[in-house]
């Protein structure tokens, strides 16, 4: 049991080290030797868990996928409207990105064209599916205009979330990201939420911004 625990801890240390380097330097610019040195392990320990750099990338994207699904499931079970749950998912992922390098690295891997192994879906495909599902429910709940093209809005939402993260992360301090995310939601809300329900979600975006910034 103790040996298994040590092996799991070593694997987690390697994944965190790889994620940190992928996030800061990119996938192509990071070597296995650098990951070994950054993790403080031997090459034998790395190869025991991962046969190649691609395996590390896959492990990071698996963690990203599980985290997103877990967050989405948790929020769905709390009685929020579908639109509120969707908004909270985006702010929740933003918060988790600041808590460690794995989700940030997952985003960078997704935008760098690193191949995703089946049956794991591409992160953007998974995010679009979650957004589409929540938006369809939001239409039924009358929180979103019934005549919107839900698939197009879901695609636009994912593009906006990813783009906001990348641009904000490149040009501004990390603490600025929640504000940019709230501004993104203000624009989307004005375009897809009926006037009678708009104030509720604009207020929610502002509250989620404050909560995320102070977390």
């Amino acid at each position: 049991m103790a040996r298994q625990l040590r092996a799991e801890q070593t694997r987690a240390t390697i994944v965190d080290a790889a994620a940190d380097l992928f996030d800061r330097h990119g996938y192509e610019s990071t070597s296995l030797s650098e990951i070994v040195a950054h993790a403080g392990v031997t090459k034998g320990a790395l190869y025991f868990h991962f046969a190649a750099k691609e395996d590390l990338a896959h492990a990071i994207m698996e963690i990203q996928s599980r985290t997103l699904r877990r967050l989405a499931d948790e929020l769905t079970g709390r009685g929020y409207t579908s639109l509120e749950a969707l908004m909270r998912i985006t702010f929740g992922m933003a918060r988790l990105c600041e808590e460690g390098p794995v989700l940030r690295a997952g985003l960078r891997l997704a935008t760098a064209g690193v191949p995703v192994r089946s049956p794991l879906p591409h992160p953007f495909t998974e995010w679009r599916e979650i957004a589409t599902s929540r938006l369809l429910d939001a239409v039924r709940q009358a929180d979103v205009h019934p005549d919107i093209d839900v698939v197009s809005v879901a695609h636009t939402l994912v593009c906006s979330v990813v783009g906001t993260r990348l641009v904000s992360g490149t040009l501004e301090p990390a603490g600025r990201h929640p504000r940019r995310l709230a501004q993104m939601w203000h624009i989307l809300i004005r375009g897809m939420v009926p006037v009678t329900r708009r104030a509720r979600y604009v207020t929610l975006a502002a509250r989620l911004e404050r909560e995320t910034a102070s977390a």
Side-chain angles (χ1 to χ4, degrees), residues 11-21 38 101-102:
R11 186 181 191 279
T13 297
I14 294 169
V15 169
D16 285 344
D20 186 41
L21 292 175
H38 195 47
V102 174

Side-chain angles (χ1 to χ4, degrees), residues 70-80 84-86 88-90 92:
R70 183 171 62 248
L71 178 62
D73 290 344
E74 288 174 356
L75 290 171
T76 299
R78 293 184 183 179
Y80 298 125
E84 178 169 351
L86 181 56
R88 287 182 176 276
I89 289 170
T90 62

Side-chain angles (χ1 to χ4, degrees), residues 148-163:
I148 70 164
D149 183 337
V150 168
V151 174
S152 294
V153 173
H155 183 86
T156 299
L157 174 62
V158 173
C159 292
S160 298
V161 170
V162 173

Side-chain angles (χ1 to χ4, degrees), residues 57-190:
H58 183 72
I60 289 168
M61 287 191 280
E62 279 188 320
I63 294 171
Q64 181 186 58
S65 176
R66 289 198 304 269
T67 302
L68 174 64
R69 290 290 178 182
R70 183 171 62 248
L71 178 62
D73 290 344
E74 288 174 356
L75 290 171
T76 299
R78 293 184 183 179
Y80 298 125
T81 67
S82 290
L83 183 55
E84 178 169 351
L86 181 56
M87 293 174 67
R88 287 182 176 276
I89 289 170
T90 62
F91 279 94
M93 290 297 285
R95 183 184 67 255
L96 290 171
C97 276
E98 299 308 321
E99 293 180 356
V102 174
L103 296 189
R104 295 195 302 271
L107 178 60
R108 184 154 185 177
L109 291 169
T111 57
V114 176
V116 180
R117 297 178 191 166
S118 180
L120 189 69
H122 192 282
F124 298 160
T125 300
E126 190 169 33
W127 300 354
R128 284 194 312 186
E129 290 174 352
I130 290 174
T132 299
S133 174
R134 299 307 185 278
L135 287 169
L136 286 170
D137 286 340
V139 170
R140 287 189 283 268
Q141 294 166 358
D143 279 333
V144 168
H145 290 298
D147 58 346
I148 70 164
D149 183 337
V150 168
V151 174
S152 294
V153 173
H155 183 86
T156 299
L157 174 62
V158 173
C159 292
S160 298
V161 170
V162 173
T164 297
R165 176 75 202 180
L166 293 177
V167 174
S168 181
T170 300
L171 300 179
E172 300 175 321
R176 185 67 174 169
H177 182 57
R179 177 57 179 162
R180 295 301 188 191
L181 196 56
Q183 290 171 338
M184 179 208 78
W185 271 111
H186 289 167
I187 294 169
L188 292 175
I189 288 165
R190 289 188 178 93

